[in-house]
Amino acid sequence: MNLVPQERFAGVLLGTAVGDALGLPAEGLSPQRIRRLWKGEWKHRLVLGKGMLSDDTEHTLMVAQALLAQPNDAVAFQRALAWKFRWWLAGLPGGVGQATAKACIKLWAGVPGSKSAVASAGSGPAMRSAILGAFFADDPPKRREFVLASSRLTHRGWQAETAALAVAETVALIFQQQRLPAALELIGSLRKLSTETEWQALLSNMESAIARDDSVGKFVETLAMKKGVSGYSLHVVSVALCGCLSHPEDFRAALIAVLDCGGDTDTVGAIAGAVAGAVVGKAGIPAEWLRGLLEWPRSKVFMERLAERLVAQQDTQRALGSVRYFWPALIPRNLAFILIVLTHGLRRLFPPY
């Protein structure tokens, strides 16, 4: 599928946002409970038929902004991203992973970004690495360097790093080949990222599931996750990639396949959305899902401007600088978001169970 780079960059950012927003209301629910609560197709259900972004998309946007500030030096990029994480936490975000929260507190306490990570196998680094794969699609050494700089700012552990590298590698291959590689080719590339037995076994499991034409839900069952996809980085990424490989040019089908599995739906949705969005571009994302995003000041227009500047940044060694938006609006936005999420939490106390 031949698309101009800006269309694919926009697909990564908007696909992340759509997958995140669709999955957020169902986060932590089992597949069975999701079906009992909501009949019919997947649509935005957070507030009045609209969807909002959580930390999955926010992290991706911060990485993109840090790239625009420091596109050439991974150490300087990490420092820039560290400051974005500090101010992000100060803005009272509605969702913060435990490892990320601890790392941000350490950053505010004066610990440098090179030492702020905490031991964790969570999926924080993976949910923000797709844009790095897009930006450094033709530069494997820098791609790895920047992904690890981002990962090691908050998480310390081979699982989190491997998951982040896997997402970046997949998106890079999409940009290089103008399509999602076939399962055997992609899995062959992902095998090179780590020699750990667990990673190799997981990839073999995915390869067998795709060869049998199993559903993504069936693949999740082989991982013994009956209550939904766990927050473990290797599980989240493998399920997201399995969904995309099962529906290589169909954004809607890929998202539905992974969201139907329940569990960590916002993160698996965000990652699958980023990968599928890289394949189909903005135009391939269902229009009603895009229209349903209720966000400001980090609006759809802001994300498209960000995509445009990232493409321009690739053509110059001079840092173009972050895309500006009305950041003072973030605190009232976040307070409203917290109230909405708490309302959803209260709703879950009542049937149907």
Side-chain angles (χ1 to χ4, degrees), residues 52-75:
M52 296 178 73
L53 312 178
S54 75
D55 57 334
D56 302 85
T57 308
E58 292 169 344
H59 283 207
T60 295
L61 299 179
M62 288 191 291
V63 167
Q65 293 278 55
L67 267 178
L68 290 171
Q70 298 290 346
N72 302 310
D73 182 341
V75 174

Side-chain angles (χ1 to χ4, degrees), residues 46-127:
L46 190 70
V47 53
L48 302 175
K50 300 292 184 179
M52 296 178 73
L53 312 178
S54 75
D55 57 334
D56 302 85
T57 308
E58 292 169 344
H59 283 207
T60 295
L61 299 179
M62 288 191 291
V63 167
Q65 293 278 55
L67 267 178
L68 290 171
Q70 298 290 346
N72 302 310
D73 182 341
V75 174
F77 161 79
Q78 188 184 65
R79 283 198 299 267
L81 185 58
W83 275 109
K84 294 188 181 302
F85 268 105
R86 288 184 182 97
W87 290 115
W88 173 72
L89 185 67
L92 306 176
V96 187
Q98 188 177 47
T100 301
K102 289 179 179 178
C104 288
I105 292 169
K106 289 172 71 175
L107 288 169
W108 271 120
V111 177
S114 58
K115 298 181 179 179
S116 57
V118 299
S120 173
S123 52
M127 69 194 191

